Amino acid sequence: MIAASLVQMDVAALDPARNLRRIHDHIAAEAGRGAQLILFPELANTGYVEPLVPGGAMTLPPADYAGALHRACAAPDGPEIAALAEAAQRHGTHVVIGMGLRDPLREGVMRNCSLLIGPQGVLGCYAKIHQWQNEKLYFTRGDRIESFAFGETRLGMQICYDIRFPEITRIMAMQGAGIVTSVWASFGAEDAPVPDEALFLHRAYTRATENGVFFLSCNRSGSHGGQRFFGRSCALAPDGAVLGALDHDGEDVLRVEIDLAQIARYRGFTGIWADRAPEIYAKYFP
Protein backbone atom coordinates (compact mmCIF):
# COMPACT_ATOMS: atom_id res chain seq x y z
CA MET A 1 0.00 0.00 0.00
CA ILE A 2 1.12 3.55 -0.76
CA ALA A 3 -0.01 6.29 1.61
CA ALA A 4 -0.67 9.53 -0.29
CA SER A 5 -1.49 13.00 1.04
CA LEU A 6 -3.04 15.70 -1.17
CA VAL A 7 -2.39 19.11 0.37
CA GLN A 8 -5.16 21.53 -0.55
CA MET A 9 -3.54 24.82 0.47
CA ASP A 10 -3.81 28.52 -0.20
CA VAL A 11 -0.86 30.10 -2.02
CA ALA A 12 0.33 33.68 -1.52
CA ALA A 13 0.88 35.58 -4.76
CA LEU A 14 4.54 36.22 -5.60
CA ASP A 15 5.73 35.17 -2.14
CA PRO A 16 7.70 31.97 -2.72
CA ALA A 17 9.55 32.19 0.60
CA ARG A 18 6.29 32.11 2.57
CA ASN A 19 4.76 29.43 0.36
CA LEU A 20 7.78 27.17 0.57
CA ARG A 21 7.97 27.50 4.35
CA ARG A 22 4.40 26.20 4.54
CA ILE A 23 5.16 23.45 2.00
CA HIS A 24 8.09 22.24 4.11
CA ASP A 25 5.88 22.23 7.20
CA HIS A 26 3.34 20.07 5.35
CA ILE A 27 6.04 17.68 4.11
CA ALA A 28 7.30 17.15 7.65
CA ALA A 29 3.78 16.72 9.05
CA GLU A 30 2.51 14.34 6.37
CA ALA A 31 5.70 12.27 6.25
CA GLY A 32 5.41 12.02 10.02
CA ARG A 33 1.99 10.45 9.49
CA GLY A 34 3.48 7.91 7.10
CA ALA A 35 2.84 9.58 3.72
CA GLN A 36 4.99 8.15 0.94
CA LEU A 37 3.63 10.54 -1.71
CA ILE A 38 2.69 14.16 -0.96
CA LEU A 39 0.99 16.39 -3.55
CA PHE A 40 0.87 20.18 -3.73
CA PRO A 41 -1.16 22.35 -6.16
CA GLU A 42 -0.26 24.12 -9.39
CA LEU A 43 2.19 27.04 -9.09
CA ALA A 44 2.54 26.43 -5.37
CA ASN A 45 5.61 28.66 -5.17
CA THR A 46 4.40 31.70 -7.14
CA GLY A 47 0.62 31.71 -7.05
CA TYR A 48 -1.45 31.86 -10.22
CA VAL A 49 -0.85 34.36 -13.04
CA GLU A 50 -2.49 37.79 -13.15
CA PRO A 51 -4.98 38.78 -14.25
CA LEU A 52 -6.63 35.49 -13.40
CA VAL A 53 -9.22 36.06 -16.13
CA PRO A 54 -8.92 38.17 -19.29
CA GLY A 55 -9.63 41.78 -18.37
CA GLY A 56 -9.61 41.01 -14.65
CA ALA A 57 -7.97 42.85 -11.78
CA MET A 58 -4.22 42.89 -11.09
CA THR A 59 -2.42 43.52 -7.82
CA LEU A 60 0.66 44.87 -9.61
CA PRO A 61 0.86 47.21 -12.61
CA PRO A 62 1.08 45.23 -15.86
CA ALA A 63 4.51 46.70 -16.61
CA ASP A 64 5.92 45.22 -13.40
CA TYR A 65 4.15 41.89 -13.22
CA ALA A 66 6.07 39.71 -15.70
CA GLY A 67 9.40 40.57 -14.08
CA ALA A 68 7.99 39.96 -10.61
CA LEU A 69 6.65 36.56 -11.70
CA HIS A 70 10.00 35.62 -13.21
CA ARG A 71 11.80 36.54 -9.99
CA ALA A 72 9.31 34.46 -7.98
CA CYS A 73 9.88 31.39 -10.16
CA ALA A 74 12.51 28.89 -9.02
CA ALA A 75 15.71 28.06 -10.86
CA PRO A 76 15.95 24.33 -11.70
CA ASP A 77 19.37 24.20 -10.02
CA GLY A 78 18.52 26.73 -7.33
CA PRO A 79 18.20 26.52 -3.54
CA GLU A 80 14.41 26.10 -3.45
CA ILE A 81 14.40 22.78 -5.30
CA ALA A 82 17.56 21.63 -3.55
CA ALA A 83 15.80 22.23 -0.22
CA LEU A 84 12.77 20.22 -1.34
CA ALA A 85 15.03 17.34 -2.37
CA GLU A 86 16.77 17.51 0.99
CA ALA A 87 13.40 17.43 2.77
CA ALA A 88 12.28 14.40 0.72
CA GLN A 89 15.50 12.62 1.63
CA ARG A 90 15.32 13.56 5.31
CA HIS A 91 11.72 12.42 5.64
CA GLY A 92 11.96 9.42 3.30
CA THR A 93 9.08 10.50 1.08
CA HIS A 94 8.20 11.64 -2.45
CA VAL A 95 6.71 14.98 -3.40
CA VAL A 96 4.74 16.06 -6.47
CA ILE A 97 4.56 19.84 -6.60
CA GLY A 98 3.42 22.43 -9.10
CA MET A 99 6.04 25.17 -9.53
CA GLY A 100 6.88 28.07 -11.78
CA LEU A 101 10.39 27.41 -13.11
CA ARG A 102 12.87 29.63 -14.95
CA ASP A 103 14.55 28.23 -18.02
CA PRO A 104 18.17 27.37 -17.15
CA LEU A 105 19.52 28.70 -20.46
CA ARG A 106 17.16 31.35 -21.84
CA GLU A 107 16.81 34.54 -19.84
CA GLY A 108 13.22 35.52 -19.09
CA VAL A 109 11.67 32.20 -20.18
CA MET A 110 9.35 30.55 -17.62
CA ARG A 111 7.42 27.29 -17.51
CA ASN A 112 4.49 26.03 -15.48
CA CYS A 113 5.80 22.68 -14.22
CA SER A 114 5.04 19.70 -12.02
CA LEU A 115 8.04 18.09 -10.32
CA LEU A 116 8.46 14.63 -8.85
CA ILE A 117 11.05 14.83 -6.07
CA GLY A 118 12.23 11.87 -4.02
CA PRO A 119 15.01 10.96 -1.61
CA GLN A 120 17.35 10.67 -4.62
CA GLY A 121 16.54 14.20 -5.82
CA VAL A 122 14.46 15.41 -8.76
CA LEU A 123 13.10 12.31 -10.49
CA GLY A 124 10.94 13.98 -13.11
CA CYS A 125 9.73 17.29 -14.45
CA TYR A 126 6.69 17.91 -16.64
CA ALA A 127 6.12 21.31 -18.26
CA LYS A 128 2.45 22.08 -18.90
CA ILE A 129 1.49 21.61 -22.53
CA HIS A 130 -2.06 22.98 -22.59
CA GLN A 131 -2.10 26.53 -21.25
CA TRP A 132 -5.26 28.15 -19.96
CA GLN A 133 -6.11 31.70 -21.12
CA ASN A 134 -3.62 34.20 -19.63
CA GLU A 135 -0.98 31.60 -18.85
CA LYS A 136 -0.01 31.96 -22.52
CA LEU A 137 1.15 35.53 -21.79
CA TYR A 138 3.92 34.35 -19.47
CA PHE A 139 4.82 30.70 -19.82
CA THR A 140 6.46 28.73 -22.61
CA ARG A 141 4.57 25.49 -23.03
CA GLY A 142 6.15 22.08 -22.66
CA ASP A 143 6.66 19.65 -25.52
CA ARG A 144 7.20 16.27 -23.80
CA ILE A 145 4.90 13.68 -22.22
CA GLU A 146 6.75 11.31 -19.90
CA SER A 147 6.22 9.02 -16.95
CA PHE A 148 8.76 8.36 -14.24
CA ALA A 149 9.77 5.37 -12.12
CA PHE A 150 8.00 5.33 -8.78
CA GLY A 151 8.43 2.22 -6.67
CA GLU A 152 6.76 -0.75 -8.36
CA THR A 153 5.02 1.39 -11.00
CA ARG A 154 5.52 4.59 -12.93
CA LEU A 155 4.01 8.00 -12.24
CA GLY A 156 2.78 10.53 -14.77
CA MET A 157 2.14 14.20 -14.04
CA GLN A 158 -0.24 16.66 -15.65
CA ILE A 159 -1.46 20.12 -14.75
CA CYS A 160 -5.02 21.50 -14.56
CA TYR A 161 -6.29 22.21 -18.12
CA ASP A 162 -4.33 19.18 -19.40
CA ILE A 163 -7.12 16.94 -18.09
CA ARG A 164 -9.41 18.10 -20.90
CA PHE A 165 -7.09 16.42 -23.41
CA PRO A 166 -7.38 12.64 -22.95
CA GLU A 167 -4.25 11.94 -24.98
CA ILE A 168 -2.06 13.08 -22.07
CA THR A 169 -3.31 10.44 -19.63
CA ARG A 170 -3.46 7.72 -22.29
CA ILE A 171 0.15 8.29 -23.34
CA MET A 172 1.31 8.18 -19.72
CA ALA A 173 -0.61 4.95 -19.15
CA MET A 174 0.92 3.46 -22.29
CA GLN A 175 4.32 4.32 -20.87
CA GLY A 176 3.48 2.23 -17.82
CA ALA A 177 2.11 4.82 -15.42
CA GLY A 178 -0.15 3.29 -12.78
CA ILE A 179 -0.52 6.61 -10.96
CA VAL A 180 -1.33 9.91 -12.66
CA THR A 181 -1.28 13.15 -10.69
CA SER A 182 -3.10 16.32 -11.65
CA VAL A 183 -2.21 19.53 -9.82
CA TRP A 184 -4.63 22.43 -10.20
CA ALA A 185 -5.24 26.11 -9.62
CA SER A 186 -8.85 25.95 -10.80
CA PHE A 187 -11.13 28.83 -9.86
CA GLY A 188 -14.34 30.72 -10.49
CA ALA A 189 -15.85 34.08 -9.64
CA GLU A 190 -15.74 34.75 -5.91
CA ASP A 191 -19.35 35.92 -5.76
CA ALA A 192 -20.81 33.05 -7.81
CA PRO A 193 -21.82 29.57 -6.66
CA VAL A 194 -19.69 26.61 -7.67
CA PRO A 195 -21.20 25.52 -11.01
CA ASP A 196 -20.62 21.79 -10.45
CA GLU A 197 -19.75 20.50 -6.98
CA ALA A 198 -18.60 17.16 -8.44
CA LEU A 199 -16.62 18.56 -11.39
CA PHE A 200 -13.26 17.18 -10.25
CA LEU A 201 -14.74 13.79 -9.45
CA HIS A 202 -16.31 13.58 -12.93
CA ARG A 203 -13.06 14.37 -14.69
CA ALA A 204 -10.89 12.15 -12.51
CA TYR A 205 -13.37 9.26 -12.84
CA THR A 206 -13.20 9.43 -16.63
CA ARG A 207 -9.42 9.49 -16.84
CA ALA A 208 -9.05 6.75 -14.21
CA THR A 209 -11.51 4.28 -15.72
CA GLU A 210 -10.61 4.72 -19.39
CA ASN A 211 -6.95 3.96 -18.59
CA GLY A 212 -7.07 1.82 -15.46
CA VAL A 213 -4.91 4.16 -13.38
CA PHE A 214 -5.04 5.79 -9.98
CA PHE A 215 -5.87 9.45 -10.59
CA LEU A 216 -4.90 11.93 -7.87
CA SER A 217 -6.35 15.43 -8.27
CA CYS A 218 -4.93 18.15 -5.98
CA ASN A 219 -6.42 21.64 -6.31
CA ARG A 220 -5.61 24.76 -4.31
CA SER A 221 -7.75 26.92 -2.07
CA GLY A 222 -7.99 30.63 -1.26
CA SER A 223 -9.16 33.76 -3.08
CA HIS A 224 -7.32 36.24 -5.27
CA GLY A 225 -8.18 38.90 -7.81
CA GLY A 226 -11.94 38.46 -7.39
CA GLN A 227 -11.69 34.72 -7.97
CA ARG A 228 -12.08 31.80 -5.55
CA PHE A 229 -10.13 28.58 -5.98
CA PHE A 230 -12.42 25.57 -5.93
CA GLY A 231 -10.46 23.09 -3.77
CA ARG A 232 -12.37 19.77 -3.84
CA SER A 233 -9.29 17.59 -4.22
CA CYS A 234 -9.99 13.92 -4.82
CA ALA A 235 -8.38 10.55 -5.50
CA LEU A 236 -9.89 7.76 -7.57
CA ALA A 237 -9.00 4.10 -8.09
CA PRO A 238 -8.63 2.46 -11.54
CA ASP A 239 -12.25 1.26 -11.41
CA GLY A 240 -13.53 4.73 -10.56
CA ALA A 241 -14.04 4.06 -6.86
CA VAL A 242 -13.56 7.23 -4.83
CA LEU A 243 -10.68 6.68 -2.43
CA GLY A 244 -11.33 10.06 -0.88
CA ALA A 245 -12.64 13.53 -1.73
CA LEU A 246 -12.84 16.93 -0.07
CA ASP A 247 -16.22 18.61 -0.50
CA HIS A 248 -15.07 22.18 0.16
CA ASP A 249 -12.62 24.87 -0.95
CA GLY A 250 -10.86 25.45 2.38
CA GLU A 251 -7.37 24.40 3.35
CA ASP A 252 -7.23 20.71 4.19
CA VAL A 253 -5.31 17.50 3.54
CA LEU A 254 -6.82 14.47 1.83
CA ARG A 255 -5.16 11.22 2.89
CA VAL A 256 -5.69 8.00 0.92
CA GLU A 257 -4.21 4.52 0.49
CA ILE A 258 -3.22 3.17 -2.94
CA ASP A 259 -3.19 -0.57 -3.63
CA LEU A 260 -1.33 -1.08 -6.90
CA ALA A 261 -2.78 -4.59 -7.27
CA GLN A 262 -6.08 -2.95 -8.23
CA ILE A 263 -4.60 -1.87 -11.56
CA ALA A 264 -4.12 -5.40 -12.92
CA ARG A 265 -7.43 -6.59 -11.46
CA TYR A 266 -9.40 -3.81 -13.16
CA ARG A 267 -7.58 -4.00 -16.48
CA GLY A 268 -7.86 -7.80 -16.58
CA PHE A 269 -11.57 -7.78 -15.76
CA THR A 270 -12.56 -5.09 -18.28
CA GLY A 271 -10.12 -5.83 -21.10
CA ILE A 272 -9.64 -2.11 -21.79
CA TRP A 273 -6.04 -2.66 -22.91
CA ALA A 274 -6.39 -6.06 -24.63
CA ASP A 275 -9.43 -4.82 -26.58
CA ARG A 276 -7.84 -1.68 -28.00
CA ALA A 277 -7.69 -1.45 -31.80
CA PRO A 278 -4.81 0.94 -32.52
CA GLU A 279 -4.56 -0.14 -36.17
CA ILE A 280 -8.09 1.20 -36.70
CA TYR A 281 -7.60 4.36 -34.64
CA ALA A 282 -4.52 5.18 -36.75
CA LYS A 283 -6.73 5.71 -39.77
CA TYR A 284 -8.29 8.76 -38.15
CA PHE A 285 -5.30 10.45 -36.53
CA PRO A 286 -2.57 12.32 -38.40
Side-chain angles (χ1 to χ4, degrees):
M1 300 290 282
I2 299 170
S5 294
L6 287 67
V7 181
Q8 182 171 292
M9 61 178 282
D10 193 2
V11 179
L14 303 179
D15 194 350
R18 177 182 183 276
N19 296 327
L20 287 164
R21 281 195 299 271
R22 298 195 66 215
I23 287 164
H24 281 276
D25 288 344
H26 280 296
I27 292 172
E30 293 308 308
R33 298 177 67 108
Q36 298 153 281
L37 179 62
I38 307 170
L39 275 63
F40 294 93
E42 179 180 12
L43 296 174
N45 59 333
T46 65
Y48 195 67
V49 299
E50 297 186 25
L52 275 76
V53 295
M58 297 191 72
T59 61
L60 286 179
D64 299 333
Y65 179 73
L69 178 62
H70 185 263
R71 290 188 293 274
C73 286
D77 59 352
E80 297 95 339
I81 294 176
L84 289 169
E86 192 278 330
Q89 181 182 54
R90 183 169 69 255
H91 296 292
T93 193
H94 288 75
V95 174
V96 168
I97 180 169
M99 297 187 76
L101 294 186
R102 302 178 208 144
D103 188 279
L105 300 177
R106 293 186 288 172
E107 181 63 31
V109 172
M110 301 173 277
R111 288 185 175 81
N112 182 350
C113 295
S114 182
L115 296 172
L116 172 62
I117 302 172
Q120 310 94 317
V122 177
L123 304 176
C125 179
Y126 166 74
K128 189 175 185 179
I129 292 174
H130 304 102
Q131 298 175 309
W132 179 253
Q133 295 185 340
N134 287 343
E135 292 173 30
K136 300 178 181 75
L137 301 176
Y138 305 105
F139 295 118
T140 297
R141 78 175 189 177
D143 60 3
R144 294 183 64 83
I145 302 170
E146 299 177 272
S147 64
F148 307 95
F150 177 72
E152 297 177 3
T153 187
R154 298 183 68 82
L155 184 146
M157 296 178 285
Q158 56 185 245
I159 303 173
C160 202
Y161 185 41
D162 282 329
I163 201 172
R164 300 193 190 210
F165 300 85
E167 296 88 347
I168 293 275
T169 311
R170 174 52 54 93
I171 291 168
M172 291 173 177
M174 291 179 70
Q175 293 171 343
I179 300 172
V180 175
T181 63
S182 181
V183 298
W184 299 71
S186 181
F187 55 83
E190 197 165 21
D191 57 356
V194 176
D196 181 357
E197 292 282 352
L199 170 66
F200 299 99
L201 284 169
H202 298 327
R203 291 180 175 170
Y205 175 91
T206 302
R207 295 292 165 262
T209 58
E210 68 191 5
N211 294 287
V213 297
F214 286 91
F215 200 94
L216 310 183
S217 176
C218 182
N219 196 18
R220 64 164 284 191
S221 65
S223 297
H224 185 70
Q227 304 293 312
R228 176 184 58 178
F229 293 90
F230 289 135
R232 293 171 174 78
S233 300
C234 60
L236 278 81
D239 64 356
V242 178
L243 301 177
L246 299 178
D247 61 357
H248 60 81
D249 59 12
E251 291 196 312
D252 206 343
V253 179
L254 175 65
R255 302 179 181 96
V256 298
E257 296 281 337
I258 295 171
D259 178 6
L260 293 177
Q262 292 184 34
I263 298 171
R265 285 200 296 267
Y266 172 74
R267 292 181 180 180
F269 173 75
T270 60
I272 59 168
W273 285 95
D275 295 337
R276 293 180 67 247
E279 70 284 359
I280 296 176
Y281 310 152
K283 299 176 184 180
Y284 303 95
F285 287 94

